Amino acid sequence: DTAVSQTPKYLVTQMGNDKSIKCEQNLGHDTMYWYKQDSKKFLKIMFSYNNKELIINETVPNRFSPKSPDKAHLNLHINSLELGDSAVYFCASSQELAGGFEQFFGPGTRLTVL
Amino acid sequence: RKEVEQDPGPFNVPEGATVAFNCTYSNSASQSFFWYRQDCRKEPKLLMSVYSSGNEDGRFTAQLNRASQYISLLIRDSKLSDSATYLCVVNDSGTYKYIFGTGTRLKVLA
C-alpha cells in the first residue's frame, strides 16, 4: 500500500500551458508539503498545509496554487508554465506540524517544460 | 551563509571503509535534526533522526554539536548499497520549515 502517492509521475508540456499534480496520503497525517527539487538537486519547500490550512507559503510565484480539499490530499496547480519550472516536484506528509516528525515523500513528479 | 550547508562530494570510498559527513546550520534556534537518504531518481527517505546525546543505528552514528552548530553522520563498514546522496535536514521550530542541505553524494566502490 503506497503511503504517499503522486500523479502523474512524468509530465511533459509546452510553455504557457496550465497543469496540475495530485498528491494523496493514506497515513492519517495532519500536515502535507510540496517541495521542488531543481537540476542541482536542491530540495526546497514551497508550501505546507496543516489540516487543510496553508501554513507555509515560500516565495513562490503566484502561478503556483496549492489546494487541499481534505487532510489526505494536496494538489498543486501551475498556470502559464515557464522553462524554469522544469524540476522534480515532491509531495510529503508528516504526522504533525511541529518539528521532530519524519516526513514521508511521494515518488515525485518530473515536470519538463519545453 | 546558507541555512544548511553540506559538502556535495562525491565521496568515493572502498567497501568496508568508514566515512563521515558533516553538515552545518545557521539558525541556533533549530530544534530537530535529521539525516535523509536519496537514491538516484527516487524520493528522500529518513535514515535517522539526530538526538542531542548522539545516536547509533547499526553501522550509522549521528552526532549533534549545538555549540558549533553542526551535525555529523558516520558510516562504518561501507556497503555498495550505501551509495546514495545523504541529505542533512534541520527543522526551524519557529516557522515549522524543514530545511534541506544540498546533499553529500557517496559512492562505495567494489
Side-chain angles (χ1 to χ4, degrees):
Chain A
D1 236 3
T2 306
V4 182
S5 59
Q6 292 178 231
T7 54
K9 193 166 183 183
Y10 298 97
L11 191 49
V12 181
T13 188
Q14 300 285 336
M15 268 175 55
N17 284 351
D18 303 338
K19 291 292 178 186
S20 291
I21 308 171
K22 296 188 175 182
C23 177
E24 177 181 359
Q25 54 97 2
N26 62 8
L27 298 166
H29 287 168
D30 285 347
T31 309
M32 295 185 73
Y33 312 81
W34 277 111
Y35 286 88
K36 177 180 179 181
Q37 189 167 44
D38 60 26
S39 57
K40 293 181 180 175
K41 309 299 183 190
F42 181 51
L43 198 66
K44 188 166 166 54
I45 191 162
M46 300 172 70
F47 302 103
S48 168
Y49 270 75
N50 187 59
N51 278 319
K52 301 194 299 174
E53 183 184 342
L54 180 65
I55 300 298
I56 294 172
N57 184 352
E58 284 296 279
T59 48
V60 176
N62 56 16
R63 298 182 294 104
F64 290 78
S65 49
K67 279 195 173 49
S68 182
D70 55 60
K71 227 171 63 162
H73 295 85
L74 180 61
N75 303 323
L76 184 65
H77 187 76
I78 316 170
N79 288 328
S80 304
L81 277 155
E82 299 177 358
L83 293 176
D85 297 332
S86 295
V88 181
Y89 292 84
F90 286 102
C91 175
S93 73
S94 65
Q95 186 175 329
E96 288 184 20
L97 181 61
F101 291 95
E102 178 180 0
Q103 289 189 297
F104 293 81
F105 285 81
T109 296
R110 188 171 294 273
L111 171 65
T112 303
V113 182
L114 303 174
Chain B
R1 184 183 170 186
K2 286 184 187 169
E3 293 177 283
V4 178
E5 288 200 73
Q6 295 182 251
D7 181 340
F11 284 57
N12 296 323
V13 302
E15 266 187 295
T18 295
V19 62
F21 311 133
N22 280 343
C23 164
T24 57
Y25 60 95
S26 61
N27 184 355
S28 59
S30 298
Q31 292 295 319
S32 304
F33 308 89
F34 310 86
W35 284 102
Y36 277 71
R37 171 191 168 131
Q38 186 173 23
D39 292 297
C40 189
R41 301 179 78 87
K42 296 285 190 181
E43 71 273 22
K45 291 185 180 177
L46 180 69
L47 177 68
M48 56 198 303
S49 301
V50 186
Y51 303 121
S52 296
S53 54
N55 46 301
E56 191 173 304
D57 183 1
R59 298 181 293 108
F60 299 86
T61 301
Q63 297 278 353
L64 167 64
N65 185 320
R66 284 192 186 273
S68 301
Q69 292 181 213
Y70 77 83
I71 67 173
S72 63
L73 177 67
L74 181 80
I75 306 175
R76 289 182 299 279
D77 188 23
S78 299
K79 312 287 184 197
L80 293 175
S81 57
D82 293 335
S83 297
T85 296
Y86 290 84
L87 301 165
C88 171
V89 184
V90 174
N91 182 260
D92 182 334
S93 58
T95 64
Y96 304 118
K97 283 196 307 184
Y98 288 87
I99 302 165
F100 283 72
T102 50
T104 297
R105 195 164 163 214
L106 172 66
K107 290 185 184 178
V108 181
L109 309 170

